[in-house]
Amino acid sequence: MPLAVRSALFGLLRPSLLSFLLSVPAREVQSAHRPESFRGSPLIEVDSLINRLDLEKIFGRRAALHVDLGCGDGSFLCTLAQRTPKKNFLGVERLLARIRSATRKAAKIGNVRLLRMESSYVVRYLLPSRSVETFYLLFPDPWPKRRHWRRRIVTEDFLSAISQALVENGTFRIATDQGDYFEKMKEMARANSNFAIIDPTVADLPLTKFEETFRAQGASIHWLELRKISPVR
């Protein structure tokens, strides 16, 4: 990213970061870039919004990384992390009330870290290349009205950024109750030479609160699972 663009982004995003930090009690924030000081708070205080995250420093170890984009209150993320203690889990959520709830849930789970930020920004600019084993995007805002479709998180550029962050053969798991959004995402995935669409392997995943609600209402749940592949030259 050109320096001028980085500086502009930093200038735009820094106020929101400061606003967030001022709104969170100090006891809930510890720098995950100093793992020796980790005392139960999984909330990451980023040192920079233009440099890639130092994941080994953040987690205090090297391990396969799973990222939950829009982790909500952390229920899905924390359940999965407890089931798989040998992997690292990062939850990304922009809403303050949700990230606070997730922080409380993850306080005593050593392989979970949380970041309050827009998911698309984290994927594009903060996650190192080839650092993520699995991404989860579970029930993203569907923006059902056609005039709002441009606000949907899954775009061609977003899929390309996901591909850059995934390790070879890494996976991207998506769930939605919106059939039209599902078809559009599948169409974009087919057009992206970095991905192969595979049969979803989601039977072992914990249910999210959204999924529980949608199932109780009799809604269909659509799963899309993508695997990163090497494009044919």
Side-chain angles (χ1 to χ4, degrees):
M1 187 192 305
L3 180 60
V5 176
R6 285 190 172 203
S7 299
L9 284 170
F10 185 81
L12 288 171
L13 291 172
R14 192 66 184 176
S16 63
L17 175 64
L18 290 174
S19 175
F20 160 61
L21 293 176
L22 289 172
S23 66
V24 177
R27 65 180 180 276
E28 294 185 17
V29 181
Q30 293 186 29
S31 176
H33 287 266
R34 297 192 302 275
E36 69 276 8
S37 70
F38 183 73
R39 294 293 184 272
S41 173
L43 195 60
I44 297 171
E45 179 185 352
V46 294
D47 298 323
S48 169
L49 293 175
I50 57 176
N51 294 326
R52 302 286 173 174
L53 296 172
D54 186 336
L55 296 169
E56 184 175 354
K57 211 170 183 181
I58 286 172
F59 286 94
R61 66 175 186 175
R62 288 187 181 182
L65 177 66
H66 287 219
V67 180
D68 187 6
L69 300 171
C71 68
D73 69 354
S75 297
F76 170 88
L77 176 73
C78 292
T79 300
L80 195 57
Q82 288 175 309
R83 291 182 184 178
T84 323
K86 291 185 178 180
K87 297 182 185 293
N88 291 335
F89 289 83
L90 174 65
V92 182
E93 175 59 57
R94 70 178 180 83
L95 296 179
L96 180 59
R98 291 180 180 177
I99 203 72
R100 279 179 164 166
S101 180
T103 299
R104 287 190 290 270
K105 286 183 175 65
K108 295 182 180 180
I109 306 174
N111 60 332
V112 174
R113 299 292 184 271
L114 297 163
L115 182 60
R116 188 194 175 207
M117 201 170 290
E118 289 286 351
S119 292
S120 57
Y121 187 88
V122 173
V123 174
R124 286 183 172 93
Y125 303 118
L126 296 187
L127 288 171
S129 177
R130 297 183 296 278
S131 63
V132 180
E133 182 177 74
T134 302
F135 278 107
Y136 304 90
L137 181 64
L138 307 180
F139 305 98
D141 194 328
W143 293 105
K145 294 182 180 179
R146 181 178 289 272
R147 68 177 181 271
H148 294 154
W149 283 2
R150 60 185 176 80
R151 300 181 185 179
R152 289 174 169 177
I153 186 172
V154 180
T155 63
E156 288 86 352
D157 288 344
F158 180 73
L159 285 179
S160 295
I162 288 284
S163 173
Q164 288 293 318
L166 281 172
V167 300
E168 197 66 28
N169 294 314
T171 56
F172 183 24
R173 293 174 169 177
I174 308 171
T176 180
D177 66 313
Q178 300 290 315
D180 67 312
Y181 196 9
F182 171 72
E183 293 299 332
K184 183 62 177 177
M185 289 188 286
K186 191 158 59 171
E187 178 185 324
M188 286 187 283
R190 287 197 185 106
N192 192 312
S193 60
N194 294 307
F195 288 110
I197 299 175
I198 62 176
D199 292 334
T201 54
V202 297
D204 59 334
L205 294 179
L207 296 180
T208 70
K209 288 189 175 181
F210 281 121
E211 185 171 2
E212 290 176 348
T213 299
F214 294 144
R215 286 188 182 279
Q217 295 172 348
S220 297
I221 306 300
H222 306 280
W223 281 94
L224 180 63
E225 185 161 347
L226 310 180
R227 176 172 292 159
K228 180 179 175 178
I229 59 174
S230 297
V232 178
R233 300 297 182 185

